Every structure is written in structure tokens, then in C-alpha cells.
Amino acid sequence: MTSTVETTSIRTEGPQGLLGRVAGSPLLRLVVRRVLIAIPLLLAVSILTFALMAVMPGDPARNMAGMNASEEQVEAVRHQLGLDRPPVERYLTWLGGFVTGNLGKSSVSGQPVAQLLAERMPVTVELVLLAFAVSLLVSLPVALIAARRPGGIFDRVVMVISMTLLAVPNYVMALLLVLVFAVSLRALPAIGYVPVTTDVVANLRSVTLPVLALGLPIACFYARFLRGDLVEQMNSAEYIETARAKGVGPWKVLLVHAFRNSSFGLLTLVGLNVGGLVGGTVIIEQIFSMPGLGVMMLQGVGSQDTAVVQACVFIFAAVAIFANLFVDVMYAVLDPRIRYGSR
Amino acid sequence: MTISAKGGRSAKRLIGAIAVVASLGISAVACSGGGDTSATGGDGTPQPGGTMTVLLDAGFAGGWNTGLDPATSNTTGSNLPQNSAIFGGLFTLEADDDGSNAHIQPNQAESYSWSEDQKTLTVKLRQGITFSDGTPFNAQAVLWNWIRGLNSGSSGLVQLDLDSSAGAPTNLSEDFMASLWAALPADVDKNAVNADLAAIRVVDDQTITMALNAPNGALVNGFPVANLNLIASPTAYAKLGADAFKLTPVGAGPFVITSDKMSDRLELKKNPTYFKSGLPYLDTLNFQSVAGDQVAYQTLQAGQGDAIEGLSSVTLIQQAQSNPDVGVLLTPPTSPYVVQLNTRTAPFNDIKAREAIYYATDFDAINQGLFKGQGEMSQSFMASGDLFANTKVDGYRTFDLDKAKALVKELGGLKVTLGTTDIVTARAVTTALQTQWQAAGIDVSIDAKPLGDVITTFISGQWESMLQTAGSWDPSVGIGVQVRFGSTSAFSGTPLPQGASSAADALAKKLTTPLDDLLVKAVSTTDTAARQQTYDEIAKYISDQAYGPFGMAFSPAQVVRKGVHAPGLTTKIPALSVNSGVLYDRAWVEGGK
């Protein structure tokens, strides 16, 4: 009897209880729906990666065995790596392992992929987060100041510089930064990475140039976008005119009214940029000899180390997908119309 | 007005700052001044102490993904710097400071000798050497390493034709055999191991012998690039286990590993028990992997590196040569470029087509255009750094466009696919060759592929012409003349022996070509004069049969900051295969820093 009463009580209280409220939340439904979409997407990425590695020119077994190896030795390596099994079977084996938390072993070094990821992930995560921080810290004030007086000297200089820097590829930017700050000024190291756990200052010194190489082009991109959007808002939006008519000061109009609306666009851009930024680490880590995921993936592709490449691509794809999910959620948090529109 | 003026000052400051940054960049790029390319200084007396950081290309010496255990590493041949520092080596290749008089010198070995029939090699070890873990460096340790090296799947091993007719050895203890089996792969062919043990014998604590079925005059010369040269501590292996041993192998070389981040950074410190009194000079030695020549050179300029082993970009070499702060050493080259022609299939089964390629090829122009004249021209698989240097061949067909055109016309046209490894320099050379050959009326398409795929293409036999390099210090070592021109080699396009349908068939029926016989003759003696004569004959034979025009030989440069000294870095040692071997036990830095 007691239990019946309790059950009834819970059932009755459900829609008003915390769980019920959460379950009924449009935001949560949005998140769940997007996560469910992400799963087949990630599956598709893993299949595509596996297929590309399988059709890539070259013979991983021969690469591993070396030029002097006999055909018998190469066949033995092929068997050891499982390359003599059908691709579908190999993929399903990998997927089975992945789902159960076993990422396999590198076919080159023999080290567990999970261990390699654990060693290298912090480097890439630090690079990406700091690059984002730099891009926002640079772009936001620059865009706001430029938009405050469109066509002014600052605006024009910023636009020219940002256009120039945007045209410079990451790796050229990296080499130029090294040339100036490491070779000429000897102010920062040209290569290498010091973990933050070893020495915080040395860590910051070691990541400064790579972070700038990654973050500055993005900062330019954000600055140009945000400045354009702000100017458009300031020139044509009715609510801006209303605010001005009420006697709100120009900086307040810009920061409080225009920026709030423009931040939606910027947020979208940030989400879209995550994939590109993570991808950019592949080149930057290589140039600065940083032991991160990007270098690991590149080495994996070179040696046709499928387990390593699969894991890296999966992580990169997951980051891009979930960054976009995060942006969508933030949208919904900031603008209830989106949240309820998603029903 | 006020606002405008402020804006103007801001702009001026900004432009000024940009100008400073730009000028710093330009001055760094330009930093030339003429001068000293020796990079030496002081009175040249070695000084103990200090640290050296050597920058290695991630795509070659700077990659050691399969670890540093000599028995299982697949990059032994390219990891000469690391191996030299950790293991030292039974033998080293040494030369006078100008690169002349290059010779194999016993190092941890005290001497070597051949039996009268030249089929048994006896190696005597120096007394009193210990591994850095304190255990003895003796004949049993060498045997343990050699057997592992031959049976653990490393690509660094030497192909040996061992004579195992003497039967199983009786002087090996149970403990030794247990240690050996524990260090071999679980699925190792035990019969093969026992056959090797029958051929390689411990005579006494300091003496080991290796019995061969036939003389091999190139065997000892090949040691410095082979895993047989690298002797590791069996005790350390048992203690550490296979995985840890790959990362931190223990040898008896001048340095011991303190940190190994695979294919990233290797840090070593002086081995206090090193067997050479007063050596090594350096307290610490680091190897840093870097992404290519540009990064390596900038890192050296930034003061984060002391030496670059193997800078191959001609532009950067020239830039370094005009930089007074660094020294550049070009070592005698040993591996000329060659366009291998596949005689087993059309169109190069016709000697006229091969001759047309010889006459249409102007490697001199390519050397001037792409290598700024830094390459050394050769008409054979030997260059000036070779043990049997011979760069001129009587009757060699040199560039003659008219003759090439006439031959192409006689053939009724010539269509060729030119294969190459997909690396920048090789692609540039093939593009130049394409232009030259097209001028002779030859229709050329380039097929650039990753190395692995080039190997697969070779093995399939489905290729027409391939741009490669051929040769090493001893022409029969590594990717030498045997690999490129022996009829049963998977990487050769010379004709199969008469009566053989394939290389395997030729091997089974023991059929050979006249060129194969010459190649065997070249290693079938340890007599240097006899070998020289045979290699000259081989060069002439290849030229007469037009198996492939040879071009420039080019060695990557060693670049050091001022005050750095080491044999192989600042004095010349011929390139063993690609890069020179640097003798790090004698590396030193001025001022001990």
C-alpha cells in the first residue's frame, strides 16, 4: 500500500518536480536531439576516415617491415597488423573496441592509443583554448573601437591590417613570428613545449608564438565580422534609433544595445571556427615541434597507422560537432524564441 | 580636430611599430655578411663540459616511432645520430678532416680479421668495456644482440648468407638461452635461430666469429648503418621489458638516455663509465625533432639548437654559407641520382629507347638550375665520397639532343611514364627531366607517389622509369648497386637471367646474368683493389647496356653554430648512406656551453 501511495505521489508530482521540469525543458530536448544527431555523424566520420586510410596509396605492412624485408616478413607484418582481413571486418573490430573503451594500439610504436591521446591531448587543448582566448581578447575591443567611428583612422588601419593578416596562411604567420620574436629578438622560444605542470612561466613562453600564429588570423576574422555587424546595427536598427532618441550615450548604445545583437552572429562564427582552429593545430604543432594531437595525426597518416588516425580524427570531429551544439545551446539560452521555436 | 589629430598620432605609432617589426624580420632574413664558414674558433683544443642540441628532420633522422631498440627499430639506418650517442658501435667510419682516407675503424671492437678462405669473420672486443648499467660488454652480449637483430623483424639488419653447417653450439649456458628466447618474438622461427647460433660463435669472452657460405667483402663496411653494430645490455632488457627498452635502451656508448619522447626529443647525459678516457666531452646531448629545413634553420638562429644534421634545401644551405654566425660543412657525396629504366617491359626492353633517354638527359643543366651547381656529377653509382670513387665511365652516352631526336624518330615515337617519390626535390628533378625529354620528342608523364607506394610499384614490376638515388660509401651496402641493378632485387629493372620467368624463378633455378656475376664478384673478396676493378667493370657494363643515366650526387649539409665541433659535423666523413655519421663522443663546444 505504502509503495502504491508513494508511486502515485511521484507520478502525480512528476510534471512539477525537478526531473519532470528538466525533462520537459525545451532546452534539454534540443540538447538530446542534437546529441542523437551527432552519433550518426561521428559514425559517418569514422567510416569515412577508415575508408580513406584503406584506399590510401602505399602499403603499411611494407612501410613497417622496411625495404630490406622479404615478402614473407612483409606478410607476417600484414598478418600481425590484421591487414590481411577484409576492411569491413577490420572496421567493425575497431568500432567494437572503441565502444568498449579500447582504442587499440599504434601499429608503429605498439603503444596503446589511449595512452598516446592522454599524453598529447593537453598540448592541443591548451593551444586551442588559448588561441580562442587571444582571438576574442583581440577582436572584441578592436571591433568595438573601430565600429565606434566607422571610416576613421583606427578603423581604416585595423581593416587594412586585418585584411593583410587574413591573407597570410597559418604556417607563414608562424614562421614570421619565429623570425621576429625568436630569431631576431630572442624573446621567445622558436620550438618546443614545456608542460604547465613543469613550469608555468616556461609553459606560457613556449605556447605564446603558436597561440599567436593560430589566434591572430581568427582575431582578424572576428574583428572584421563584428565590426561590420555593429556598424550595420548602429546605422539601421530601429532599437538603436530609439535608444539614441532616449538620450543613451554612444558607447552605451554600442556596448549594451548593438553588441548584444551582434554577439549572436559572433557566436555562430565561433562555433563554425572550432573545426578550423583544431585543424590548424596540425600544422602549427608541427612547425613549433609541439607534441600534440595534430603532430600525432600527421605522423599517423604518414605511417598509415589507422588506429592513431581514427582516434585523432574522431576527437577532432567530436570537438567540431559538440562546439556547434554548444553554440546552439547558447543561442537558445540567450534567445528564448529559438528555444521554443525548436519544439 | 582634436580627435583627428589623436588618430593621426595613433596611426603613426602603429605604422612605426609595424616598420620596426618588419625591419627586424628583414634583417633576420638578410643576416648575411660574407664570411667565415668554418664555424671554428679558439685554438681548436677540445674542452670538456657543456650541452649540445642537435636538430633532426622529423621526416628522416628525427623520427624514431618504432623506438631505439636495435633489434626492433625500423629506422636504424636513419637514426645514426641517436645510435652513435647511445651505443657508440662496434665499428665506426672515420676519415681525415678533409674527408679523405675514409675507413672502417674498430671502436668497441678491438680488431677484426677474415679467415684464409675469407668466409669466417672474427671480431675481437676491447677489454674492460661495460654497459652503462655496469654489466660486462662481452662476446655473449654481442651474440645475444646479433641473434636478436637477425630474428626480431628489424629492417636495419644486414642480409647474411650464414654457414650453419657446424651444428648447434655447446658452450651457451641455460641462463643465456633463456634470456635470448625471452627477448625474441613469441612466434620466432626457432630453427632459424638455431641455425644462426650454429654460424655465430662465442670463442671466448672477447672473441666472436661469424661463418658465411661465401666471402662478403662489404659486410664490415656495412656495419655502421646496420643494427649488428649496436650492442645493447641484455641485463637491462630483462630488467626493463620490451616496451620500456624501446624507449630507454642501455648501451655502452658515450651517453645514456635521461628522457625519450619518441620522434620528438631525446635527452642524454654523459656516460661516466664510457670506455674512452676523457670522453665524451659534452655533459649533455639532446636531439630535437623539427619539421623540415626552414624550421631547423630558424631554430638554430634562435639559439635553441647548436647543430643541424642534414640540411638539404639548397637555398637555405646558400643562406647559411653567407651567415657569419654559422658554419656549413658539405660532406663528400656517395649517392648519385639515377633514372632507372625497366628493361623487362616496353618501351625500355629496346636499347634504342634507353639510349634516347641517355642522349635526352642533361643532368648538368639540372644540377646548375636546381642545385646551384652544388651537386657533383657522376656517370656511375659512385661519387667522390665512395670507397671506390669512380665518376667517369668510358663510352658513357652524354647529352646530345640531335641523337636523342633521331632515335625517337627511328623508334616511331616514345611514350614514357617517369615515376618518383613524392618529395619536393625529386618532383623538381622529374619536372626538369620531363621538359628535357619532351624537347627530344618524348611524350612524358610523371607519376609521383609516396615512398610506400613506390616500393609497391617496384615490386609489382609495372613501371617504366624511376628517378632514384643509388649507392653508399661501399657500393654494395644499403640501397647500393646490388639493390638497383641486381636482377633478383625487387628494386631493379635490369633483365632477368635467360630461362627465368621471375626473380623467384631465377633464384630457385640459380640462374644469373653477367651483371649479377659481376655484382657477386665485387663482394666475393675483401681485397680492395680487386673490388675496385670489379666496380669499374660494373659501371662500364651498366653504361654500355644503358640501364639508367646517372646524374648529380648531393649530400645534405651539416650546419653548426660557431664554437661547435665534432667529427662528421665540422670535419668531413663521407655519407654512409644519406647523412654522415657524426662521432658524438668527440663532440665539444667552446667555453663548455
Side-chain angles (χ1 to χ4, degrees), chain B residues 275-299:
Chain B
F275 72 99
K276 291 183 189 172
S277 176
L279 295 179
Y281 296 119
L282 296 169
D283 288 336
T284 50
L285 175 65
N286 306 317
F287 293 104
Q288 174 69 53
S289 180
V290 290
D293 284 355
Q294 180 70 38
V295 176
Y297 188 55
Q298 286 192 350
T299 305

Side-chain angles (χ1 to χ4, degrees), chain B residues 46-58:
Chain B
Q47 297 163 17
T51 294
M52 187 189 284
T53 297
V54 182
L55 306 169
L56 304 171
D57 188 335

Side-chain angles (χ1 to χ4, degrees), chain A residues 163-180:
Chain A
M163 180 54 91
T164 310
L165 291 182
L166 264 177
V168 179
N170 265 348
Y171 63 93
V172 176
M173 173 80 82
L175 294 175
L176 286 172
L177 287 168
V178 168
L179 205 57
V180 175

Side-chain angles (χ1 to χ4, degrees), chain A residues 109-161:
Chain A
S109 68
Q111 290 177 286
V113 173
Q115 181 195 327
L116 291 170
L117 290 179
E119 285 170 6
R120 288 166 176 262
M121 190 108 78
V123 181
T124 307
V125 168
E126 185 182 1
L127 267 185
V128 170
L129 290 180
L130 287 178
F132 257 125
V134 163
S135 63
L136 291 173
L137 284 174
V138 172
S139 63
L140 292 183
V142 164
L144 285 165
I145 297 169
R148 171 73 183 81
R149 206 170 297 281
I153 296 274
F154 182 83
D155 183 35
R156 276 186 282 165
V157 169
V158 162
M159 288 302 104
V160 169
I161 292 175

Side-chain angles (χ1 to χ4, degrees), chain A residues 57-59 62-68 108-109 153 157 175 178-179 182-186 189-191 286-287 289 291, chain B residues 7 11 14 24 28-29 65-66 74 155 159 246 264 288-291 295 298-299 301-302 304 452-453 455 459 479 491:
Chain A
D59 181 353
R62 167 60 68 180
N63 283 351
M64 274 293 292
M67 202 163 171
N68 291 334
V108 178
S109 68
I153 296 274
V157 169
L175 294 175
V178 168
L179 205 57
V183 176
S184 293
L185 301 177
R186 299 272 178 119
I191 57 163
Q286 208 197 12
I287 289 176
S289 298
Chain B
L14 193 61
L24 285 169
V29 172
N65 268 341
T66 50
N74 279 338
S155 62
Q159 297 293 327
K246 274 184 183 179
D264 177 28
Q288 174 69 53
S289 180
V290 290
V295 176
Q298 286 192 350
T299 305
Q301 286 184 299
Q304 268 189 279
D453 208 30
I455 293 172
I459 291 166
I479 311 298
F491 307 99

Side-chain angles (χ1 to χ4, degrees), chain B residues 132-420:
Chain B
S132 59
D133 61 0
T135 56
F137 182 103
N138 56 20
Q140 279 211 347
V142 174
L143 175 68
W144 185 90
N145 276 273
W146 283 4
I147 299 296
R148 281 193 75 223
L150 292 168
N151 293 280
S152 299
S154 163
S155 62
L157 68 93
V158 178
Q159 297 293 327
L160 294 174
D161 181 14
L162 293 172
D163 173 10
S164 52
S165 59
T170 53
N171 60 346
L172 298 172
S173 68
E174 278 183 23
D175 282 352
F176 174 85
M177 289 308 298
S179 156
L180 181 62
W181 290 123
L184 287 166
D187 59 349
V188 72
D189 180 347
K190 293 200 170 185
N191 290 331
V193 173
N194 285 323
D196 290 348
L197 284 167
I200 302 170
R201 301 256 173 176
V202 169
V203 177
D204 59 43
D205 217 29
Q206 306 304 127
T207 313
I208 187 164
T209 59
M210 182 188 283
L212 305 173
N213 283 319
N216 185 343
L219 176 60
V220 177
N221 292 340
F223 260 66
V225 285
N227 62 2
L228 296 182
N229 202 40
L230 311 172
I231 306 303
S233 162
T235 316
Y237 182 91
K239 193 174 166 190
L240 292 170
D243 289 342
F245 195 73
K246 274 184 183 179
L247 275 173
T248 55
V250 174
F255 296 91
V256 292
I257 300 172
T258 53
S259 166
D260 178 3
K261 289 175 185 151
M262 269 206 232
S263 297
D264 177 28
R265 189 173 172 89
L266 180 70
E267 296 181 353
L268 307 111
K269 67 174 184 186
K270 184 180 201 158
N271 174 8
T273 61
Y274 189 51
F275 72 99
K276 291 183 189 172
S277 176
L279 295 179
Y281 296 119
L282 296 169
D283 288 336
T284 50
L285 175 65
N286 306 317
F287 293 104
Q288 174 69 53
S289 180
V290 290
D293 284 355
Q294 180 70 38
V295 176
Y297 188 55
Q298 286 192 350
T299 305
L300 185 83
Q301 286 184 299
Q304 268 189 279
D306 301 292
I308 303 169
E309 267 207 49
L311 190 78
S312 56
S313 156
V314 175
T315 313
L316 284 173
I317 291 172
Q318 288 185 320
Q319 200 177 322
Q321 282 172 325
S322 62
N323 183 345
D325 297 326
V326 300
V328 179
L329 184 80
L330 289 166
T331 52
T334 54
S335 306
Y337 273 96
V338 60
V339 180
Q340 286 183 261
L341 303 173
N342 190 357
T343 64
R344 300 174 196 179
T345 179
F348 295 121
N349 52 1
D350 183 343
I351 191 169
K352 283 181 183 164
R354 305 201 295 269
E355 287 180 315
I357 294 295
Y358 269 73
Y359 289 129
T361 301
D362 185 1
F363 266 126
D364 255 325
I366 294 173
N367 186 35
Q368 293 305 322
L370 289 179
F371 293 85
K372 316 291 181 199
Q374 302 261 20
E376 180 188 281
M377 300 309 297
S378 179
Q379 295 174 344
S380 78
F381 47 86
M382 294 174 277
S384 69
D386 275 70
L387 178 59
F388 306 108
N390 180 6
T391 58
K392 294 281 178 195
V393 178
D394 280 347
Y396 186 87
R397 298 169 186 83
T398 52
F399 175 64
D400 189 328
L401 192 56
D402 291 337
K403 280 187 183 173
K405 282 179 178 171
L407 278 166
V408 172
K409 196 174 173 186
E410 194 183 330
L411 288 163
L414 184 56
K415 196 174 176 185
V416 178
T417 300
L418 174 59
T420 181

Side-chain angles (χ1 to χ4, degrees), chain A residues 113 117 293-294 296-298 307-317:
Chain A
V113 173
L117 290 179
L293 284 185
M296 180 173 149
M297 188 173 81
L298 209 61
V308 163
V309 176
Q310 282 282 92
C312 292
V313 172
F314 191 89
I315 287 174
F316 285 6

